[in-house]
Amino acid sequence: MPADKNPDPLALYVHWPFCVSKCPYCDFNSHVRDTVDQAAWRDALLADLAHEARELPGRTLGSIFFGGGTPSLMPPATVAAVLDAAEAAWGFAPGIEITLEANPSSVEAARFADLAAAGVNRVSLGLQALNDEALAFLSRAHDVAEGLGALDVAQEVFDRVSFDLIYARPDQSFGDWHAELTRALAFGTEHLSLYQLTVEPGTRFATEEREGRLLLPDQDRAADLFELTRETTARAGLPAYEISNHAKRGAESRHNLTYWRYGDYAGIGPGAHGRRRGHATQRRRKPENWIDAVARNGHGIEIEDRLTPGERATEAMLMGLRLAEGIDLARIADLGERPIELLVDTRRIDRLANQGLVALDGTRLRATDAGMPVLNAILADVVAVRETA
């Protein structure tokens, strides 16, 4: 296959599905393992990676992200092997970002130094709350003291550190959240992911909400908490660059920016998704099915679909309008291979702009601070893709 002429850095997502012991972070019992054949898994990941390298020749990696079940329990030797293979296949851009998700437990923190030595230079910690009662409500296995201990170790070991918190919890006052967020900002990390608590179908929270045992803030209160969050982080020098992500200038997650800016990314490992050269890929989700497929086919792909121009344009809009920088409508038109009027509802954009919910500067469209809390409604209003003229 000829070399890809796309000059933009490629991103690589590596999905490690396993929790080696039962824990509240794992949603799938089939992913819990007492033992894992590490050599077999390393070899399968390398084979899956080699397939993606053949599909995307001539590219340079700008970021790598290890995510999934409990990737911080991956053997450092496996992490190093994946990084070596990725560098040999594509080459690394200067200052490549290599992130690993980690639960803030003392067991995982004890492995941070070895993971850093293997090549990881950024960690994303799932603290989720700085309140023990809230952590119990969220079914987290760690308490605040253990979580902050892991954060201390991470800040000593890794060049870059991010952690997440969940707010808009039941009975959480403005004062409570402001105090918790202020405490979080005082730790000095360069990046925070701050998510409002949402209820997903089929979860314990969905059952409790249906039965009236879980009362979340109403839409107006949630919007006020969202505004408080953005104002507080901006004053601290970590403005929102995406609807739920806040960073110092230059410390944004390069890997996630690839997603939001609709760049190419390769995904390897069970259940991993990818977008490359106009194709959407999805690996087999169940670990055994994935590893069998790799042995049989040389890769773990279950689905590989060529996206239509309209689908690419829609995905780019849905992802890009999450960003404070917004989207370039000229690029959307190029992706959609048709005039922008067939991809967005320009009359509704004008109406939303008059309401102060979006701003249009030349071909650059973005949601305003007032529009971000109602972004889903804006997207439903603006996106108007038709596959045929």
Side-chain angles (χ1 to χ4, degrees):
M1 182 177 295
D4 194 327
K5 296 181 181 179
N6 188 333
D8 295 328
L10 177 69
L12 173 66
Y13 175 73
V14 183
H15 187 92
W16 178 261
F18 295 131
C19 292
V20 295
S21 61
K22 290 191 176 182
C23 73
Y25 305 105
C26 188
D27 295 329
F28 308 102
N29 288 334
S30 65
H31 290 186
V32 176
R33 295 290 186 278
D34 293 324
T35 60
V36 175
D37 185 339
Q38 301 291 356
W41 271 83
R42 181 183 63 246
D43 292 346
L45 284 171
L46 297 181
D48 217 12
L49 185 153
H51 175 80
E52 290 300 302
R54 289 190 293 272
E55 293 295 318
L56 287 161
R59 299 292 293 274
T60 301
L61 278 176
S63 67
I64 300 174
F65 194 100
F66 292 88
T70 314
S72 47
L73 294 180
M74 288 180 70
T78 298
V79 173
V82 169
L83 296 181
D84 287 345
E87 185 173 21
W90 287 297
F92 287 174
I96 184 172
E97 175 189 275
I98 302 174
T99 303
L100 184 135
E101 283 186 326
N103 299 321
S105 72
S106 56
V107 171
E108 292 175 55
R111 303 168 62 89
F112 286 172
D114 289 338
L115 290 165
V120 175
N121 57 28
R122 182 178 183 271
V123 71
S124 178
L125 281 179
L127 287 185
Q128 301 204 333
L130 299 177
N131 175 287
D132 283 334
E133 184 178 347
L135 288 170
F137 164 75
L138 295 168
S139 299
R140 300 300 88 180
H142 66 278
D143 60 15
V144 172
E146 186 177 30
L148 294 183
L151 177 61
D152 285 342
V153 175
Q155 289 182 297
E156 291 175 4
V157 168
F158 296 105
D159 296 336
R160 303 173 61 198
V161 176
S162 174
F163 65 86
D164 66 62
L165 296 175
I166 295 175
Y167 67 101
R169 306 185 301 256
D171 301 321
Q172 185 181 40
S173 71
F174 290 104
D176 290 341
W177 173 232
H178 184 262
E180 187 172 355
L181 181 54
T182 300
R183 185 185 181 192
L185 289 163
F187 296 132
T189 62
E190 62 178 14
H191 190 286
L192 291 176
S193 297
L194 305 171
Y195 304 107
Q196 289 196 9
L197 179 63
T198 57
V199 175
E200 300 295 335
T203 63
R204 170 175 63 88
F205 286 158
T207 300
E208 292 178 358
E209 186 177 47
R210 185 175 61 252
E211 295 175 351
R213 294 184 288 119
L214 176 64
L215 298 176
L216 297 180
D218 62 25
Q219 188 173 2
D220 289 340
R221 187 173 180 81
D224 290 340
L225 286 166
F226 180 80
E227 183 178 356
L228 171 65
T229 301
R230 293 170 73 86
E231 291 176 350
T232 304
T233 56
R235 283 197 302 269
L238 277 76
Y241 69 98
E242 190 267 348
I243 191 167
S244 299
N245 286 273
H246 309 252
K248 296 178 182 178
R249 298 297 183 192
E252 299 86 356
S253 168
R254 296 173 216 163
H255 187 85
N256 286 336
L257 281 173
T258 298
Y259 297 159
W260 296 320
R261 290 171 175 165
Y262 206 60
D264 282 341
Y265 65 97
I268 64 171
H273 290 253
R275 291 291 185 277
R276 52 168 163 74
R277 300 173 67 163
H279 287 78
T281 63
Q282 181 178 340
R283 260 62 183 174
R284 295 181 181 275
R285 189 177 189 185
K286 187 175 180 180
E288 283 74 16
N289 292 347
W290 171 82
I291 203 167
D292 287 346
V294 173
R296 184 173 59 252
N297 304 320
H299 60 77
I301 295 174
E302 181 176 27
I303 299 170
E304 182 170 358
D305 291 332
R306 182 165 185 81
L307 299 170
T308 66
E311 288 170 334
R312 294 199 299 275
T314 298
E315 288 189 342
M317 283 187 281
L318 294 177
M319 298 296 284
L321 281 172
R322 299 173 60 90
L323 290 167
E325 69 187 28
I327 57 175
D328 181 358
L329 293 178
R331 181 182 180 231
I332 298 299
D334 286 342
L335 287 169
E337 298 179 5
R338 68 205 63 201
I340 195 62
E341 292 79 9
L342 296 179
L343 298 170
V344 300
D345 191 321
T346 54
R347 290 176 300 178
R348 290 183 177 178
I349 288 177
D350 290 340
R351 187 189 69 209
L352 292 168
N354 289 334
Q355 294 172 342
L357 299 177
V358 302
L360 182 62
D361 182 10
T363 62
R364 173 69 56 177
L365 176 68
R366 62 177 179 83
T368 64
D369 288 345
M372 276 294 182
V374 291
L375 182 60
N376 287 340
I378 289 174
L379 291 172
D381 241 9
V382 167
V383 178
V385 173
R386 295 195 295 272
E387 286 298 339
T388 56

